[in-house]
Amino acid sequence: LPRASDGWAMYHPPLYHAATALLMNLIDPVPGGVAARAVFSLLPALSGLGMALVACAGARLLAPGSGWLEAGAMLTAGLLPMNLTLAACVSNESLHALLASLALLVTLRALVVERASSGQDVALGLLLAAALLTKYSSAILVPVLVGAVATKRFVTEDAPLPKVASGLLISLFLIVVLAGWLYLRNWLLFGDPFVWNMNATPGRTWWQPPGFHTPAYFSRFGEALAYPWLSGFTSFWDAVYTTLWGDGMLSGVA
């Protein structure tokens, strides 16, 4: 696997890229042709479709018997411009969103049943590990989702502490064993488990427009209405608006 210092985007976790490389080897299309482009786009497109199905399953879980709500959730998620845009991009974003959403769905299921099962702990650990091998930002989900299931067992189920601890440890064990090696490798090589392209190579910097991330950045809005692309550099609210309606940062293509 490449190191974070080997190129601009080499810091990303490898799951999406490794899976796409495996598909390329299996299908063996002509390099640069339409078939090759289709292989690169396959996982994002399927992930976008999966997001719609996960939304449908979540609605069914939270409101059983409401077929109209399931259909509405599926259509909303499937036709959300942000989801459509990312599903059409060659990027790890959609796969990460799908894995994170599946982890959220498993957590919701564990919260609504009378007693969460060990199988749900295993599924949650596997999905969070896969998400952590796709994007760093999944790290924020680990304490939130695993902690929610543990809290539910302790408060609602009135489970004994050993039972609460065992469920917690099952999920965390799978996460550490399956995904921990990547973050340990980063820490050993770069001194930072979440190394990215700005700190992997000494001396590399990234310009920022005047006012970026100052108080004024959070009090302006309107650039997106005239010049939507990359207007997230102008204000936080322009970033939110353009992300809702597509991918305002053009998937990092400047």
Side-chain angles (χ1 to χ4, degrees):
L1 293 174
R3 299 184 180 193
S5 56
D6 288 346
W8 180 253
M10 297 299 184
Y11 68 92
H12 282 290
L15 182 60
Y16 163 76
H17 307 85
T20 301
L22 178 61
L23 286 173
M24 289 290 288
N25 283 331
L26 291 175
I27 300 174
D28 194 25
V30 176
V34 175
R37 171 72 188 189
V39 173
F40 283 127
S41 303
L42 182 59
L43 283 178
L46 291 177
S47 297
L49 176 61
M51 290 285 287
L53 298 177
V54 169
C56 179
R60 183 183 302 124
L61 185 65
L62 296 174
S66 299
W68 61 269
L69 188 60
E70 294 176 26
M74 183 166 60
L75 287 172
T76 300
L79 298 178
L80 190 68
M82 174 173 53
N83 189 24
L84 287 173
T85 301
L86 291 176
C89 293
V90 178
S91 165
N92 56 0
E93 295 284 0
S94 283
L95 179 60
H96 169 253
L98 176 62
L99 292 169
S101 297
L102 286 169
L104 177 60
L105 182 63
V106 169
T107 303
L108 286 174
R109 189 173 296 279
L111 294 180
V112 300
V113 296
E114 184 177 351
R115 294 195 175 274
S117 67
S118 297
Q120 289 165 335
D121 296 320
V122 171
L124 184 58
L126 292 174
L127 287 167
L128 286 174
L132 281 165
L133 289 174
T134 307
K135 279 199 68 131
Y136 291 156
S137 44
S138 294
I140 197 172
L141 296 176
V142 174
V144 174
L145 300 187
V146 175
V149 177
T151 302
K152 186 256 186 180
R153 278 198 175 104
F154 182 72
V155 176
T156 306
E157 298 180 13
D158 199 22
L161 283 178
K163 174 65 175 177
V164 176
S166 66
L168 189 70
L169 290 175
I170 287 172
S171 295
L172 293 179
F173 174 79
L174 289 170
I175 292 169
V176 170
V177 169
L178 296 177
W181 61 269
L182 173 69
Y183 297 85
L184 177 62
R185 177 180 186 253
N186 285 342
W187 181 65
L188 292 174
L189 290 174
F190 303 100
D192 183 355
F194 300 100
V195 65
W196 65 308
N197 48 22
M198 287 297 100
N199 57 6
T201 303
R204 179 179 287 169
T205 59
W206 195 337
W207 61 271
Q208 293 181 341
F212 193 52
H213 288 179
T214 63
Y217 179 75
F218 297 94
S219 62
R220 292 189 297 246
F221 175 73
E223 181 80 5
L225 303 179
Y227 304 101
W229 303 123
L230 305 180
S231 62
F233 286 108
T234 300
S235 83
F236 173 79
W237 305 109
D238 286 308
V240 172
Y241 183 84
T242 54
T243 297
L244 176 66
W245 288 106
D247 181 4
M249 291 298 181
L250 297 176
S251 294
V253 179

